Structure formats: C-alpha cells, structure tokens
Amino acid sequence: MTRDRATARAVVEELFRLHHAEIYAYLARMLRDDELAADLTQDTFVKAYRAYESLEDASRARAWLYQIASRTALDELRRRRIVRFIPWTGESRGADRSAEDTAMQGRFSAEMERALDAIPERQRNALILAEIHELTGLELASALGVSHVAARALLSRGRESLRQALAVERARGGTHGAAERPSEHGEDES
Amino acid sequence: MSADRHQPFLDLLTARMDGELDATGVAKLDDHLAACPSCRAVAHEYEVDRERMRAIRPAEPPRDLWARTSAALDREVADDRADVLGATFGGRRGRGQLRVAIGSFIAASLVLAIAGGELVPVAPPGLATATPFAIAAQSVNFVGYADGELTLYHADVSEVCPPRRLDCADGPDGEAVVRLAGVSARQMTMNQTGQLLISGRDDLGAEVFAIVTLPDTDPTAEPQPDPTPADPAATGVKGATDDPGATRDPPLEPTDTPTEEPTDGPDVLPSVSPAGSDEPSPDAQITPPPSPTVAVATHQPILSGVIATGAAAAWSPDGTTLAFSAAPADRSLGSDVYLWRPGDDQAHAITDDHASLFASWSGDRVVISRADASADDGKITAETQVVDATTGEARSVDLDTGWLPSVDPTGRFVVFWHGRLVGRAGQVEPEDGRLYVADWRSLDPWRSKRSTRTEDGPATAASPAADEPDAGPTDPAATPADEADDATEAPASPSADDAAASDAVAEDGPTVAPDEGASDEPSEEATTAPATSTEPTAEDPSVEPAAPDAPFVLDRQRAVSGRTKDWVVRWSSDGRAFAVWTGEPGSVGRGSLIVRSAPTAAAPSGDILVDRVRAGRSFGLGLERIAWVAPLDDGEGELWLSVWGDGGEGAVKLRRLESLEAIPAY
C-alpha cells in the first residue's frame, strides 16, 4: 500500500468514527431498511476511500460523506423503487417511554413516513438532510450535489410537499385537521 | 393557499428556517405573514413538521458495522496493492490532490487507537506490533498443503495478541505429523476417532469421497493430565485416548474449501459436554513435540464419480455417522443425501429424488433441503425435512423457504439462509438473501405433537408475514408497500403466556418465516418481524436436553448476516457459539468471518465473540476458539487462531500456508 492509500485508509477510518452513526441513520431514514442501510453505509465509506482524492477540503468532509451517501441512497432507491413502509426503527426501541408516548409517537411517525414516502425522492432527501441532519447552506448543496440555489429550491418544495402530504394522510385518517395538529400532538409551536 | 402564488413566500420561509435570510428578507416575510393568515398557518405547520421529523429517534448502527466496513476497506486496499504491483508507479488514481489537513486526521486516528476508542481502527502501517500475552495452552491440529500433499500439523499455542490487532508476532509454526497421500481434498471433516472424510480427487483426477484413518503417530497421542474441572464427557469421549484435544482443548471443526457449497455441521472432534465448555482449555500442559518421522496415511474411497453438494459433510453429534450430499460429477442426475458409518465399504443414499441436499444434523436425524421448481409461475421454493435415518421417515419443517438450515448440536437454535433461489445450469443456487437465527425447538417436527405432519407435506408455513418469494424475498426493499405494512406491526415477543399455546401454534404450522421485515433491524440485533415463533415447552421428553443455561427462547428469527449468496455456518459442539463466513462477491473462497454467541435474552442475535476478519472459506470452530486462514495477496494464506472467553481473548498467526484450501483445524 502506498503512503497515499495508507493515508486514505486512515482518513476514512477516522471519518467512520466521527460520522458513521449519522450516515447510517440518514440511510436508514432514506431507505427505511436498517440492514440495507448498514450495507450502504459500508458502501459509502468504501466509496469515500476510493474517492479520497476528491476530498479537497478536510473541513468539508462531513458534507462530502453525505454527498456520497446521498448518491448511494438515491441510486439504490432508483434501482429498487422502494415503496413499502417500514417503521423508523428507533421508535420501537423506546424502552424508557410510556406506552402512551410510544403509541402516540408510532402513530405520528407512521403518518410522517407515509407522507415522506409520498413526496419526490430528491425533496425527501433534501428534507432529511436539512431537518434531521442539520445540513445547511453550502453543506446541503454539496451533499445534494446541486447548486446552493437549487438546494434551497428543493428544500422549499420539499417542505411544502410534505405539508400537503401530511394533510392527505390526516384526511385519510379522517380524524385530525391541520389546525388541530399542534395541540393534538402536544407539540408547542416552536 | 396556492403553492404557486405563494412560492416566493415559501422560499423566504424556508430560508428563514435555515438561517439564510437576511434582514431585508425577514422584514419582507414578516410583512407577508402579517397580512396572510393562511401563510401563518403554513409557517406554523412547517415548524411542527420539522419538530416531528427531528423527534423520531435515529436507528442505531449495528455493532458489526465497523467490522464489515473494515473488511470491505481491506479488500479495497488489497486491490490497490494489486494495482500498484501491476501498474507503473503512480497507480490508477490521480495523486497529489489532497495534501491539506490530512495530518490532523492521522493524528486523531492514532490517538484513538491508543486511547482505546470504540472504533479500534487497524493501526496504519509502521506502528509497533502488539505485545502478545499468555493464555492457557492450546493444542491445535490443522491440515495444509505442503509440497503438493496434504499434511496434518500440530501446534501448541500459549500466547496471543489482543483482539483486532493482526500485527501480532508469529505464533508457533506447527510440526508435520501425517502426510495424506493419494488424494487432494476440497473438503474435510473429521470425527472423534480420527477418521477424516475427504472429498476431492484421487491420483487419477477422479472425484471421490474417501475416508482417511489417521494413524496413531499423532504426536498428541500422549495421554495428558487434565487439570480442567471434571468433565466426564470430555475425558471419556475418545476411546483411543490418543488426542489430548479430547480432553484438553476445545476441538475445532474441520472445514471445507472455497470450492465447496455452503457448509454446516457440528464440531467433529471429541464432543465435549456443554458443561465442559465452561472451561475452554485452561490447560498448562504442553504436548510433546511430534515424532521426526512423518507417517503417511492412505485413503478408502466410499463414493466415487460424484461431487459434493449442499452443506459440508458432517458427522452426527455422537460421531457414529457421516452425512453428506453429492451429485454425479457429470451432472446427469441431481443431488442425493448419503450416509456412511465406520465399517461400511461404501456410502449409501438415503434419498432417491435427486433433489436433496444435506443441510445438517438435528440430533441423530438428518436435515435435508429440497428445492421445487415445478410451480407454474416458475418460482423456486424450498422445503426442509428432518429425516430419521433408521426408519426413513421424513417430517417437514415449517421453515417456509429457509435453505440449508444448520441446527446447533444442542438442538436449541438453527441458522438458515432465506432469500431467492434461482435455477442455473440445472442447479438450484442461492441468489440473494440473508442468514437468520431462529429457535429450533419450536421448529423441529420431531419434537412436539405437531410432528404428525405428513412425510411429503409441504411446509405450509406462513406466518402473517410469510413472505411471498416473488415479493422480493431477498430484497426487502422490493416488498410491496401493502405487504410491508404488516411489517410495521411486528408482534411483540411471545410472552410467557404464550407458552401454553405453543403446541397449538405449532400445529397451525408456521412458526418462523423469515420476513423481510427483518431488514428493519440491524443485523446485529435484527428482529425480523412478523414471524412469530412458539415458545416450546421444555418438558417434551423426546427432546434432547438443552444446554444448562438455556431457558432463553428466541422469540423470532434474527438476521445474522448482510446480503449473501455464499456462506458457511458452523456451530461449536456445545452450541454456545456459531461462526458465519460470507463470501466476498466476485471472489472465490474469500470472504469474511464472524463468530457470535448463541442467542441470549440480552443479545438475541448473539454477542460478537470474534469481530469480522477477512478469511478464506476454510475455518474450524471449537470451544471458545476458532482457526481460520487469512488470505494473502499472493494467493497464499496465513493460519490464525482466535480465542475468547475466560481463557483469554486474542489472536495469533500460526503458519503461512501455500493455499487457502483444505485447511481444517481442530
């Protein structure tokens, strides 16, 4: 192994230590398949090793990793056309939450999952990266592999698409109206 | 509100949420919101939706994620080495583009390694090697190629290096004990009395199954005092008392080669009672060095003109019967299952349907997998039966389309592959799937009343999630949404209250159906969902006693591997550990190996005892130790031994080998 490759290996190992959990969580959210997410997390870091030279600025390594993970996820989604609903697994492991909390959370998240499923993949990708993984500005653009303006547009459309999709879900459920959501969910306006 | 008309407002809103709106924009937005009640509602919903998304807890990565990623990186590194060797200096990738800030990464990585961070990265080249530490002496036998012949070696191991540090100084090289003349092996399996089954080719190149009885020149023949706690089973198993491994060392199961089918089987050397497993081999006695004279063993053909199929040949847990499956070498017929007992001239078939594959032993019965491609829709389905070798009676297992199940020697658990089978050149081959561990007691058709199932009755399995094979059984992602919805309602683990209903459930059939919902859990503790399993009663007299610490019942199957179509599963003879080797795509005989404990309440997928290592297909699993061959770039390999448990935890390299093939160790 040459010195460069040894360096690449060491860098990727360090990046794995720092970011594997969030990359995995991101992929699990995108794919809603934990085992597949694990496979693709592995793929992401292998690709990072291969593409090591393309990391021009180490301070942007996180966004760079998300870019690789994002492409990996979208490729997989295109290939497989995932359409099913799998729980976002974290919620099922909440041993410390009350049964009521768990039930409420399960209902909300199931609704959220279906809504997220209903919106275009790229918008969903932008939303997850921005809202959950807190990528902003150029970071988000880099991870999405688009311009800053395009990233903002994706996010904007994604938020609106999600809002409308949630409204549809609630209409399907037939029990809740948009105006009631905050109080129903026990979530205060932030 | 019309999204089109309000799009500029929505963009402003989004920008503000992300902190990217300047003062002018904020003022503009506020003006708009003040005049637009519906817009205020939208803004509020956006914030609520954001909080809801953030409130969902992230999935936790599987514990072996680093191990598998590291193994994949190792392969990349190996490829790079090959590139460098095969290309002019400079390699295939551009260089010199990244020189910035790398030093800090390296420094951080090294600190982590020293500080013992959770990642435990492999140290970059150039670091000092790990310091070995003493462990209880281990006696290890293994077979390797040397000068074109198979040779049985013996080695004593008394120190190892800490786990995950494969830069340990070499351990003992081992001494040649017996040469095996006249046959080249692709697969080997040994029983307690030193009878070694070899499947491979004879001197004339013909396919053959042969038995080699190892002569008493085994250097380990010296009876050794056994300082381990009393273990009647261990001390009395081997009548010839010619193998200290019988009393002093956890046996390692001989293994097969990269060219063989997925394998399975219990340990084959001196079976040690579960109680014995509490003491791996804390023996301080060192076996005397071998005789300088290397004896030559000859072989007895028991079946010729065939090639191995299904799982690797395996001796019954009591060591009296050998089972394997084979098909004519010319593929004129399909595969049948054969048995051989010492004293028989030839192996004899116990099936004649030409579609049966040996999977494993379940006590003294043979577990067989069959594939059925007769369905009108072209789907290939799998069926598993457990056959009484004496009466020939076969009973079906409700394992849905599980393939080549490997039952643990204590009968508690089973590891099976579930995925998509395909027909290729007249053969049925696994295409894409995963390995799962499940509770065998609730599945064993000979165990409970439900075993009234008819001989030929298909497994009617079907838990609510008994997935349709065509629904992308190997690809959870391909499961239609409406089916997958079921997966969101994975039942809770059967409670104790379910125990009373276990028989009833069993009679209904399906107890375990690998569901793709399994994929919604990391492999480490993957739950598969919907399939429920019974809570078998422990009072059934027909059942072999479970291990002493085995009150735990695995409520549902758990994934124990990533996607694979090439695998080997082995259980230790005490059923406390199983090793899973999965092949590297596109590679013959190379892959990665991981050892897990049997499932427990705390770790339903099993604790990881030996983290993933790159390995050739051949490996031997014993009581609290495993030997495997680490592939080298030049096609050769290094034999490694890993130990765990109270006797110490670590690994040591034993010997460089000329081939990855046919290296059983025990």
Side-chain angles (χ1 to χ4, degrees), chain B residues 140-143 251-255 619-621 627-628 639 663-666:
Chain B
V140 181
N141 297 324
F142 56 95
V143 178
L252 291 168
E253 178 189 6
T255 76
F619 65 89
L621 176 64
W628 82 96
L639 181 66
I663 316 293
Y666 54 92

Side-chain angles (χ1 to χ4, degrees), chain A residues 1-2 4-7 9-17 20-21 24-25 28-29 33-36 38-39 41-42 45-46 49-50 52-53 55-56 58 76 79-94 105 108-109 111-112 116 127-128 130-132 134 136-137 148 152 155-156 159-160 162-164 166 170 178 181-182 185 187 189-190, chain B residues 1 3 7 10-11 14-15 17-18 20 42 44-62 65-66 68-70 72-77 80-81 84 93-102 105-106 108-109 112 118-119 121-122 124-125 434 475-477 479-481 484-485 487-488 516-517 519-523 525 561-563:
Chain A
M1 185 160 58
T2 65
D4 278 356
R5 302 319 296 169
T7 301
R9 168 72 193 247
V11 168
V12 171
E13 286 182 7
E14 176 63 3
L15 291 177
F16 183 94
R17 184 189 70 81
H20 78 278
Y24 172 79
R29 283 168 173 137
D33 179 334
D34 286 3
E35 187 58 40
L36 186 57
D39 289 344
T41 303
Q42 171 186 315
F45 284 94
V46 169
Y49 171 80
R50 290 177 189 154
Y52 152 79
E53 284 84 357
L55 174 59
E56 297 178 352
E76 184 69 18
R79 192 165 74 84
R80 295 174 177 271
R81 291 295 167 202
I82 295 176
V83 291
R84 70 179 191 153
F85 305 127
I86 295 293
W88 291 21
T89 53
E91 68 203 31
S92 64
R93 299 178 185 171
Q105 180 62 37
F108 295 153
S109 63
E111 188 179 88
M112 176 64 79
L116 280 168
L127 270 180
I128 290 175
E131 303 289 45
I132 302 178
E134 301 182 337
T136 59
H148 185 201
R152 297 237 50 80
L155 196 52
S156 178
R159 284 196 174 111
E160 180 58 19
L162 180 65
R163 187 183 72 85
Q164 294 182 12
L166 280 167
R170 284 192 299 276
R181 270 200 304 155
H185 297 179
E187 293 170 316
E189 186 174 350
S190 54
Chain B
M1 183 180 75
Q7 190 59 50
L10 297 176
D11 292 341
T14 283
M17 289 177 73
D18 298 329
E20 297 193 28
V42 169
H44 175 72
E45 286 185 64
Y46 279 9
E47 293 291 348
V48 170
D49 294 345
R50 162 186 272 182
E51 291 309 310
R52 289 179 62 191
M53 288 182 72
R54 290 179 174 176
I56 297 174
R57 297 196 302 164
E60 295 177 7
L65 184 55
W66 166 246
R68 64 168 85 172
T69 303
S70 179
L73 288 171
D74 285 343
R75 291 194 289 272
E76 288 296 312
V77 170
D80 279 344
R81 285 197 186 115
V84 169
R93 295 187 173 94
R95 299 189 183 282
Q97 297 177 35
L98 176 62
R99 293 289 188 277
V100 182
I102 292 303
F105 278 108
I106 297 290
S109 181
L112 258 179
E118 63 169 344
L119 183 57
V122 174
R434 290 194 174 102
D475 176 9
T479 306
D485 258 346
T488 64
E516 299 317 312
S519 58
D520 70 354
E521 293 284 344
S523 65
E525 40 188 322
S561 81
R563 289 173 294 175

Side-chain angles (χ1 to χ4, degrees), chain B residues 476-495:
Chain B
T479 306
D482 51 352
E483 292 183 15
D485 258 346
D486 292 339
T488 64
E489 298 172 1
S493 305
S495 67

Side-chain angles (χ1 to χ4, degrees), chain B residues 97 187 207 223 280 313 327 364 567 589 614:
Chain B
Q97 297 177 35
Q187 177 187 118
E207 298 285 347
D364 57 359
W567 72 94
R614 290 197 77 203

